[in-house]
Each structure stands twice: as C-alpha cells, then as structure tokens.
Amino acid sequence: MRAVITVIGRDTVGIIAKTSAILSKNNVNILDITQSVLGDIFAMVMFADITDSTVPFGDLQTELENLGREIGVQIMAVHEDIFNAMHTV
C-alpha cells in the first residue's frame, strides 16, 4: 500500500527532517520526494510505501497533522487509492 503526503507552508529549517523522522519511526519507506521553495512558501510531495507501517494509517495521518500544526505547515497524508479516486473523472 502506498500514500501521498503533501506539505505546504512557510519555509523553515527542518521540515523534511521532521516529516521523514515520523515516517522512519513508523517504518514507512519514502519512495519518491519532490520539494521546492517559491519565495518563502515551501511545497513538498512524498510518495511513500505504508505496507510495513507499525501504526494504522489513521494514526500516521494524525501524527503528521499534529507535526504540521507544531511547525506551522499543513501536512496531509492520503492513501493512494483515495488520491487516485479524487483525481479520476
């Protein structure tokens, strides 16, 4: 199973490190990552393998959302199936 994780907000030091630390702690493998900074806005998309995650996906989503609030960005994790359904006409 895979997930799409997006991070958007003001650029600060440690966004990638802190997000990656949560994924690593929960045994989630980052398959692909892209990020850019537009002015002072940070935008990142990660594609991650959640097959071997040590926590249920809902708990992982909550942990990432809480991190986002803590560091002042929005972090959203969506299961690949939901992401595909949202973008299929």
Side-chain angles (χ1 to χ4, degrees):
M1 296 186 298
R2 297 181 295 191
V4 177
I5 300 164
T6 58
V7 182
I8 299 174
R10 297 267 180 228
D11 188 29
T12 60
V13 174
I15 296 172
I16 296 172
K18 291 174 184 173
T19 304
S20 298
I22 286 177
L23 298 178
S24 176
K25 177 183 80 162
N26 291 300
N27 203 40
V28 173
N29 186 36
I30 298 169
L31 301 172
D32 200 1
I33 181 173
T34 183
Q35 65 89 33
S36 62
V37 179
L38 309 167
D40 63 345
I41 302 298
F42 177 88
M44 177 172 68
V45 178
M46 293 177 151
F47 197 52
D49 184 346
I50 58 173
T51 303
D52 296 326
S53 178
T54 55
V55 296
F57 187 62
D59 292 350
L60 180 64
Q61 287 174 305
T62 299
E63 194 170 349
L64 290 168
E65 289 167 4
N66 289 341
L67 171 64
R69 280 191 288 281
E70 178 185 314
I71 63 174
V73 298
Q74 180 186 39
I75 303 178
M76 183 171 44
V78 179
H79 194 281
E80 180 184 27
D81 293 340
I82 301 298
F83 182 84
N84 288 335
M86 290 171 29
H87 296 90
T88 302
V89 178

